[in-house]
Amino acid sequence: MSACANSTFVESSIQTNNEGIFLQAHPNETFEILFQNPSKIKSELEYKLANKLQNLGLTQSNQNPTYKIYLNLVDMKKHSYAQRISTSASFFYDLDPLESQREWLVENYYSMQLNIEIVKNGKIQRTSLIARTAYLANKERCQASLEDKILNQIASFFYFKF
């Protein structure tokens, strides 16, 4: 149902290269985003993240911010590959030497990598996020889905204690 309701929906997943980042935040703390995009990918990730953090209760400021968030959008790639795999039934159906004894596993997907570093009170926490789609779709839809996964992951780094 959600695939029909949201035109940008593409099933995707995300992984971090370590345990992630954990930040105890308080309402009205400030943040600054410093965004690098060496791959020159057309992206609104910086603006979407600022909006998401403001919705959490943080305030964007360049004047002595509580959090300095460094983002490095490394790459967005299209992956396509095929791999031969054996089947457990091939032993029983070895009668015809011309018949293929293997099956092909074909995978097509997009991936996006973002390195992130957050500095709070001189303490640095960093991780690398790799988001990937489950299949190929329109490139813009895939990018929107990947960015959404990344934004949700970054927002989950902040937990509020009242």
Side-chain angles (χ1 to χ4, degrees), residues 18-122:
N18 59 18
E19 68 277 355
I21 297 174
F22 302 97
L23 299 163
Q24 182 178 345
H26 301 283
N28 297 320
E29 285 185 319
T30 57
F31 68 90
E32 178 183 15
I33 299 173
L34 301 148
F35 185 69
Q36 291 185 10
N37 187 356
S39 298
K40 308 279 190 250
I41 299 167
K42 186 178 178 184
S43 173
E44 295 182 359
L45 193 62
E46 177 181 6
Y47 308 108
K48 290 178 183 177
L49 178 60
N51 188 37
K52 193 160 201 75
L53 294 177
Q54 287 170 349
N55 289 339
L56 289 176
L58 300 174
T59 306
Q60 188 170 13
S61 172
N62 296 340
Q63 302 287 328
N64 197 19
T66 310
Y67 303 98
K68 279 197 171 193
I69 303 170
Y70 298 91
L71 302 176
N72 183 12
L73 183 56
V74 177
D75 207 357
M76 180 175 167
K77 292 182 184 176
K78 177 181 177 181
H79 303 269
S80 299
Y81 70 90
Q83 176 182 1
R84 285 179 69 174
I85 57 173
S86 62
T87 61
S88 59
S90 66
F91 176 77
F92 297 105
Y93 300 102
D94 244 351
L95 304 174
D96 186 359
L98 299 177
E99 188 175 313
S100 174
Q101 296 178 5
R102 303 203 186 267
E103 292 182 359
W104 289 91
L105 170 67
V106 178
E107 234 184 318
N108 298 300
Y109 60 92
Y110 278 100
S111 69
M112 180 180 280
Q113 181 178 352
L114 178 85
N115 296 330
I116 181 169
E117 179 177 284
I118 301 178
V119 180
K120 179 184 180 185
N121 299 332

